[in-house]
Amino acid sequence: MSLAFEGLKVLDFTQVLAGPFATQQLAALGAEVIKIEQPATGDLTRVGNPKRPSAMFTTANLGKKSLTLNLKSAGAKRIVHRLATDADAVVENFRPGVMARLGFGYDQLREIKPDLVYCSISGYGQSGPKSPLPAFDGAIQAASGMMAVSGFPESGPVRAGYYAVDMATALHAAFALAAALYRKRLTGEGQHIDVAMMDTSMLMLAPQMTDYLMSGKAPERIGNLSPTLQPTVNVFPTADGSIQIVALKDKQAESLFRVLGLDARFPDFPDARTRFKRSEEVNALLCAALKRQDTAHWLAALHKQSVPASEVRELPDVANDAQFEHRKAFVEIASSEPAGDGTKVVFSGHCASEDGPTLMRGAPGLGEHTEEILTGLGYARAEIAAFSADGTI
């Protein structure tokens, strides 16, 4: 086995979700990721018991090693500088300027390691009028306009029910890191990467924002209707629940009408432009027809005609999906509970024919690898004991 990032060492100063999930993507492909945490408390998402990882902490820290350091101590500065001498990348998500004040900014660490790849993740970026502002996922969803286009006209703005910006920013940062590390391999040069949650959210909104920039017309809240505004792409009520139908192409729309017994009406709506102009009429026809049978009936009939559709499912149903089992989307890790029963976690978002993402270990306990890492740096037991006594670790 030869994983893509095997042999790379990453110093991870991030916490919460966007930063940690980014570095976990590197760990899954073989990088040694050293997570640096505050003694006693650790990452904010450890919540309550720092020795027992929470679900959110586990989600973003699989496969890492944990080193506790009081970054304000003189001893920590020496340790980080020693770590930086053979690190390939540093990732941090403090507010802009904090790492420099601590002595661990890009300009400071590249004096030790000139070819260092250094990634800063923040809410609004490292410069600009909003760069000093604090940011979490919900604030960026509001600030970027994501909430303005989510929800129904009568509901007002709606936040996504998951950490949309955090998770997208993490994947964006992981991609940027991979690109910078590949460039380093080609040129021998490091660089500073500036990843902003706000920028990532704008990339996610690119079709809607570009449409506004081109037309001058702001999009409205459209509920579960597709941004294409096609009435054959929506969530519809059935006899026993709801079904999402995505009949976007003319052929799919025709098949939808045929499945619903509306063959005679399709010539009135033969193309997307006509269906768009007569959206209310189309919607009324589809809603009335779909209420006559249950979701399972319509799914079987629509899939037989190659019309994309799905029931609107709850997470307990999704967790038992045979497709996820086939794709090995969930993996089992050893539990921290005394009984020792395994715990399933979400792991990787892709498969590979050779040397794909691999779970090296579960999420680390707070400071679990401190002694191992310091010993590897050449510190003697007496020195490590002194660091513990003075609060450095």
Side-chain angles (χ1 to χ4, degrees):
M1 179 178 289
S2 181
L3 299 177
F5 295 126
E6 191 172 337
L8 291 176
K9 180 177 287 187
V10 179
L11 303 187
D12 181 3
F13 291 87
T14 68
Q15 60 177 322
V16 187
L17 192 52
F21 196 69
T23 53
Q24 183 187 293
Q25 307 313 300
L26 306 186
L29 288 170
E32 179 186 8
V33 178
I34 298 175
K35 184 177 180 67
I36 298 172
E37 302 184 74
Q38 182 70 18
T41 56
D43 191 305
L44 285 173
T45 61
R46 283 188 180 272
V47 186
N49 184 351
K51 294 294 184 182
R52 182 185 301 165
S54 67
M56 182 180 284
F57 180 87
T58 299
T59 293
N61 292 285
L62 296 168
K64 301 181 186 179
K65 296 179 179 180
S66 174
L67 165 67
T68 54
L69 282 181
N70 176 2
L71 295 178
K72 295 181 180 179
S73 69
K77 189 170 185 177
R78 295 195 299 272
I79 292 169
V80 171
H81 284 186
R82 192 175 294 192
L83 281 168
T85 59
D86 65 344
D88 296 283
V90 167
V91 187
E92 59 92 8
N93 66 345
F94 288 98
R95 283 201 211 180
V98 170
M99 283 289 278
R101 288 197 295 274
L102 291 170
F104 310 129
Y106 173 60
D107 290 335
Q108 293 150 322
L109 292 187
R110 72 171 175 172
E111 290 182 5
I112 299 167
K113 180 76 169 179
D115 63 349
L116 185 67
V117 170
Y118 191 109
C119 179
S120 295
I121 302 171
S122 63
Y124 297 93
Q126 298 300 299
S127 61
K130 291 189 174 182
S131 64
L133 296 179
F136 278 102
D137 186 287
I140 299 297
Q141 286 196 37
S144 66
M146 291 178 70
M147 289 175 61
V149 300
S150 300
F152 290 83
E154 62 274 16
S155 73
V158 173
R159 174 181 173 169
Y162 62 102
Y163 303 106
V165 177
D166 275 333
M167 300 303 277
T169 299
L171 298 177
H172 187 191
F175 170 73
L177 280 160
L181 288 165
Y182 184 71
R183 177 182 178 273
K184 174 182 173 178
R185 179 182 175 186
L186 295 177
T187 68
E189 299 174 350
Q191 62 178 291
H192 186 195
I193 305 166
D194 179 357
V195 176
M197 296 168 69
M198 188 71 158
D199 294 350
T200 298
S201 66
M202 191 50 54
L203 279 179
M204 297 169 73
L205 279 168
Q208 287 89 342
M209 180 56 79
T210 301
D211 184 66
Y212 166 71
L213 294 173
M214 294 174 64
S215 69
K217 183 180 179 181
E220 300 175 352
R221 284 183 288 276
I222 54 176
N224 290 318
L225 192 63
S226 164
T228 64
L229 301 181
Q230 279 299 311
T232 52
V233 184
N234 207 339
V235 174
F236 300 95
T238 65
D240 67 345
S242 299
I243 186 170
Q244 165 79 68
I245 296 174
V246 188
L248 191 57
K249 300 177 181 178
D250 289 343
K251 184 177 180 180
Q252 292 168 339
E254 183 176 9
S255 296
L256 171 61
F257 272 66
R258 184 167 58 252
V259 166
L260 298 184
L262 299 172
D263 311 54
R265 296 303 309 274
F266 186 73
D268 297 334
F269 316 101
D271 53 62
R273 184 182 295 274
T274 303
R275 292 190 293 275
F276 171 71
K277 289 181 177 179
R278 300 173 65 180
S279 289
E280 290 187 10
E281 190 177 350
V282 172
N283 185 67
L285 284 171
L286 299 182
C287 284
L290 286 160
K291 288 179 180 177
R292 296 183 187 128
Q293 295 283 355
D294 62 24
T295 303
H297 170 88
W298 293 126
L299 282 177
L302 290 169
H303 287 167
K304 189 174 181 180
Q305 296 297 318
S306 298
V307 177
S310 175
E311 68 272 40
V312 179
R313 299 191 294 174
E314 301 293 332
L315 291 190
D317 296 323
V318 177
N320 294 311
D321 192 313
Q323 183 68 13
F324 284 130
E325 182 178 354
H326 174 79
R327 302 277 296 175
K328 295 180 173 58
F330 307 136
V331 296
E332 192 168 286
I333 59 173
S335 173
S336 59
E337 299 297 326
D341 295 331
T343 300
K344 281 189 176 181
V345 297
V346 177
F347 181 51
S348 175
H350 77 277
C351 300
S353 62
E354 303 293 339
D355 300 331
T358 302
L359 181 64
M360 301 299 185
R361 62 177 69 83
L366 181 60
E368 180 181 343
H369 305 92
T370 297
E371 186 172 346
E372 171 193 326
I373 292 167
L374 295 182
T375 300
L377 290 174
Y379 288 103
R381 286 186 177 275
E383 292 176 291
I384 296 173
F387 283 142
S388 181
D390 68 14
T392 295
I393 60 177

